[in-house]
Amino acid sequence: MAKITLVDDDENIVTSVSLALESHGHVVKAYFDGAAGLAALENEPPDLAILDVKMPRMDGMEVLRRLRRTSDLPVIILTSKDEEIDEILGFNLGADDYMHKPFSQRLLIERVKAVLRRAGIEGEDASAAGPPSSAAAAAEAARAIRRGKLTLDPARHDCLWDGKPVKLTVTEFLLLQSLAQRPGFVKSRDNLMDAAYDDQVYVDDRTIDSHIKRMRKKFRDVDPEFDAIETLYGVGYRYRES
């Protein structure tokens, strides 16, 4: 069970999505404009936010932009099929996933499950999933990573650079973890997609590039000389340990 905040000005969507999420055991709070939604997200952070793009008072992109100043809360954005620019902008701002309208409730539930799993939040069927296939692999994934100035603690979702905290979204953290686990080794965009997204979620190369670009900016806000994530054009990325 997760606490989910839904922000959308379409009453029919709010009703249908809320019922679908609640039927799977989640607790949903709904708001009908961006300003009210942002205030709720800041005052009482949930486990996941679902934001529509076009809303009165404050649109979903502005809500996401302001939220990302202080929070790495997982976010799914809702966008119309003809609004590709919204998807690109959403990923640039740090969205974890997006859904095209109209969408099936079943698909939305699967996307919510996927984002919650990536965030390390126990889902409704986690107890039925049984033990992990490899205890050693699970232990390895949870172990803190130290690479030069970088410290990553997956268990706490903490990231430090030279002792200073860097706030990463769930997706950014998973991408960096994948790179830092094997410094010097090149990870293709497909490799990074596999590390950060579930199989049922398709993203293109621009999405990975957007996440990497935003992640670099966060580190350079802490250290202007940061250059640990190296681009190999046409190939992928690698972590360069200093």
Side-chain angles (χ1 to χ4, degrees):
M1 183 179 71
K3 294 182 293 183
I4 298 175
T5 294
L6 171 63
V7 190
D8 194 309
D9 64 331
D10 187 321
E11 187 173 349
N12 290 329
I13 288 179
V14 168
T15 300
S16 61
V17 169
S18 295
L19 288 173
L21 292 170
E22 288 168 351
S23 72
H24 283 75
H26 301 301
V27 177
V28 181
K29 290 189 176 181
Y31 301 88
F32 293 91
D33 70 76
L38 178 62
L41 291 168
E42 291 177 333
N43 294 331
E44 192 176 349
D47 297 310
L48 170 71
I50 301 175
L51 306 176
D52 185 29
V53 172
K54 294 184 176 180
M55 293 185 293
R57 297 182 66 196
M58 184 184 297
D59 65 39
M61 293 305 179
E62 183 61 23
V63 173
L64 179 58
R65 181 183 289 109
R66 297 191 187 192
L67 184 65
R68 282 292 178 252
R69 293 174 184 171
T70 58
S71 173
D72 57 3
L73 173 75
V75 173
I76 296 174
I77 57 174
L78 306 179
T79 181
S80 299
K81 282 190 174 180
D82 60 349
E83 294 172 339
E84 182 182 21
I85 187 64
D86 286 337
E87 297 166 19
I88 297 170
L89 178 58
F91 282 124
N92 282 333
L93 292 174
D96 294 278
D97 203 351
Y98 67 88
M99 292 284 296
H100 282 144
K101 292 182 178 181
F103 51 82
S104 72
Q105 303 301 333
R106 183 175 179 181
L107 179 57
L108 175 65
I109 294 299
E110 291 304 315
R111 291 291 183 91
V112 167
K113 286 181 181 178
V115 173
L116 291 174
R117 279 196 300 271
R118 283 154 46 199
I121 299 168
E122 188 175 22
E124 59 163 335
D125 54 358
S127 60
S133 58
S134 170
E140 177 67 23
R143 187 175 298 137
I145 298 172
R146 293 176 178 82
R147 301 282 186 263
K149 295 180 179 180
L150 176 70
T151 300
L152 284 177
D153 186 345
R156 295 181 173 83
H157 193 78
D158 285 341
C159 175
L160 300 176
W161 181 259
D162 201 17
K164 300 174 183 176
V166 180
K167 292 188 69 66
L168 300 178
T169 67
V170 172
T171 305
E172 291 164 355
F173 192 96
L174 291 172
L175 291 173
L176 181 57
Q177 182 180 10
S178 177
L179 290 167
Q181 281 174 337
R182 302 193 72 188
F185 284 80
V186 179
K187 293 290 184 78
S188 69
R189 289 172 177 81
D190 285 343
N191 295 150
L192 294 172
M193 288 178 197
D194 290 342
Y197 290 91
D198 283 23
D199 290 341
Q200 71 266 34
V201 178
Y202 171 77
V203 296
D204 61 22
D205 290 354
R206 292 174 302 174
T207 300
I208 298 298
D209 294 340
S210 294
H211 284 306
I212 295 291
K213 178 181 178 181
R214 192 168 185 275
M215 185 161 43
R216 281 177 172 149
K217 182 181 183 304
K218 290 182 176 182
F219 278 96
R220 286 172 181 160
D221 287 343
V222 172
D223 177 4
E225 303 301 318
F226 175 83
D227 62 354
I229 300 175
E230 184 179 7
T231 302
L232 285 84
Y233 292 99
V235 181
Y237 297 93
R238 69 182 169 196
Y239 185 85
R240 181 170 56 192
E241 187 173 4
S242 55

